[in-house]
Amino acid sequence: MQLRGWRGGSLLDLRMAHRPAPPMTVAALLPKRCPRRSARLLWGLLGCLAALSALVFLAGGGHEELLSRSLPLLLRAGGAREPRSAAARPPLPAAAFFPLAPPACAPPAAAPGLLVLVASAPGHSARRAAVRRSWGGARAAAGLAVRTVFALGLPGEAALQEALEREAAEHGDLLQGRFADTYANLTLKTLALLGWAAARCPAARFLLKADDDVFLNLPALAGHLQALGGPDAVYLGRVHWHVPPTRDPRSRHYVPASLYPPTAYPPYCSGPAYVLSGLAAAAVLAAAPHLPLLPVEDVFVGLCARHAGITPRHLAHMAGGTHYPPDACCFREVLFSVHGVTPGRMLAMWAKGERPCSTWQRLLGLARCKALTWLVAAEEEQEGP
């Protein structure tokens, strides 16, 4: 029997001819190579994001802080001592050593959490005034009570000494040691201010040593210190590694081989600004009489810390000796300290307010500040002397 209209072929062919077509999908409409292109595009985007993240991480100093965490292991492998107990009482200067001295700190319950010790000079009254009118006027930061004291030596002129006495009577924040105020005596100045702090403000949790041309971001720094936790011996700042001594007698950093024979200093925190916990400051003072009195102050503090078994911790947000251009976002939010700031610039940056960064500036953070520094340095190099 044959179906009408059927011109040959089997019944199976007839069923196949009348089978409905499968529904079309979006994937079926796309070219076959599209998934491969999408995968390549996705991997390309991921690669760009990874490269950008690595660039921001490196420019932001994250690798520096990671490397600094290996310092304790490296120093112990090189024969460094284990941390010593700070129970030994350090030698403290007598009251007669200070012709001018601020009042002692309040009882331990009211002692400052952060005692800022500013190394100044007799003739730097404008710098001290700018500090008092800007960050130095703060009495609290990130939950820490703050007190600022200026340390200096003896001037060469009687009239300048009289001016210092009037300034001390007005502000009550001058600490004067009985030594000539010269660069060679900067180590004595640092020991004097640490000694006064140990004797007259022993309950201070942290001591911040800074120069009088440093702009400090106390809220950001105090917040970082608050996150450290327990009462450990802490020594932190911008760490210098493998710095060789200067053997040129014409340099003010000159250190003869007879005074310090090794060819490199141990790691130490850059002098413009660094932090010592109360325990670390006591350990540095206790170690000082056992070491040669180097004229390079920050190196000497590093030697004392090494002798006490305390390893410095690196803070990439401490500028150290790097000079940053006047940028409110960098000064007020990103960096913890900026060196080489004139009194006028210090007041101008302070007037910008506490949070001047835009969202994208805050996101780029330290990487942006470093980029600004590199750009300014490149422009100055092109202009020439």
Side-chain angles (χ1 to χ4, degrees):
M1 179 179 180
Q2 233 181 2
L3 294 175
R4 182 176 297 177
W6 178 252
R7 299 194 177 189
S10 64
L11 185 60
L12 178 61
D13 292 335
L14 180 62
R15 292 175 179 173
M16 292 294 292
H18 288 79
R19 176 177 293 180
M24 299 298 290
T25 62
V26 176
L29 295 176
L30 293 175
K32 293 183 179 180
R33 293 186 178 180
C34 191
R36 295 183 180 178
R37 291 179 181 176
S38 300
R40 286 199 297 266
L41 179 60
L42 178 61
W43 282 110
L45 289 175
L46 291 176
C48 290
L49 288 175
L52 181 61
S53 299
L55 181 62
V56 172
F57 177 77
L58 293 174
H63 65 295
E64 299 173 2
E65 297 190 8
L66 285 177
L67 286 173
S68 73
R69 295 182 183 180
S70 65
L71 269 178
L73 296 176
L74 294 175
L75 293 180
R76 289 173 190 172
R81 304 180 183 187
E82 292 292 328
R84 295 179 174 181
S85 171
R89 187 172 179 81
L92 302 178
F97 183 75
F98 301 113
L100 298 174
C105 288
L114 179 59
L115 177 61
V116 185
L117 304 166
V118 181
S120 188
H124 291 182
S125 58
R127 295 187 183 184
R128 292 191 292 275
V131 169
R132 292 188 188 103
R133 292 172 57 190
S134 58
W135 60 264
R139 295 296 175 263
L144 286 178
V146 178
R147 183 181 180 185
T148 300
V149 172
F150 298 92
L152 39 78
L154 297 172
E157 303 175 5
L160 190 51
Q161 179 63 26
E162 293 175 0
L164 290 174
E165 292 172 359
R166 291 192 297 270
E167 183 180 346
E170 179 181 359
H171 298 285
D173 57 3
L174 293 190
L175 175 67
Q176 185 179 46
R178 200 174 293 281
F179 51 83
D181 197 295
T182 63
Y183 186 85
N185 284 337
L186 186 54
T187 301
L188 289 177
K189 184 182 296 182
T190 298
L191 290 176
L193 58 86
L194 291 179
W196 177 87
R200 299 290 181 263
C201 201
R205 185 179 170 192
F206 295 104
L207 280 64
L208 168 58
K209 182 268 172 184
D211 292 345
D212 59 6
D213 61 345
V214 168
F215 187 97
L216 289 177
N217 181 357
L218 289 180
L221 179 57
H224 180 84
L225 296 177
Q226 286 278 54
L228 293 179
D232 298 328
V234 175
Y235 170 41
L236 69 164
R238 185 159 198 88
V239 177
H240 293 318
W241 300 6
H242 303 295
V243 176
T246 300
R247 304 302 191 191
D248 185 356
R250 296 169 296 180
S251 172
R252 66 178 185 174
H253 298 133
Y254 169 62
V255 174
S258 58
L259 186 62
Y260 184 79
T263 58
Y265 296 129
Y268 64 93
C269 293
S270 182
Y274 56 84
V275 177
L276 292 164
S277 65
L279 291 176
V284 166
L285 285 172
H290 305 286
L291 297 168
L293 192 66
L294 300 187
V296 189
E297 168 263 340
D298 49 4
V299 172
F300 181 75
V301 172
L303 286 174
C304 292
R306 175 75 179 273
H307 187 272
I310 301 172
T311 304
R313 300 185 191 180
H314 182 75
L315 279 183
H317 290 258
M318 287 283 206
T322 303
H323 293 271
Y324 283 83
D327 181 87
C329 178
C330 297
F331 276 58
R332 297 304 307 271
E333 277 198 63
V334 177
L335 297 167
F336 292 169
S337 68
V338 185
H339 182 234
V341 184
T342 63
R345 183 171 291 177
M346 187 174 294
L347 294 174
M349 290 296 101
W350 181 254
K352 296 296 183 179
E354 289 189 9
R355 295 182 64 82
C357 295
S358 65
T359 302
W360 72 269
Q361 288 175 334
R362 197 171 291 115
L363 180 64
L364 292 176
L366 187 57
R368 173 182 169 274
C369 297
K370 287 189 174 184
L372 291 176
T373 303
W374 295 333
L375 290 174
V376 171
E379 291 178 0
E380 293 177 350
E381 186 177 352
Q382 288 180 355
E383 293 175 0

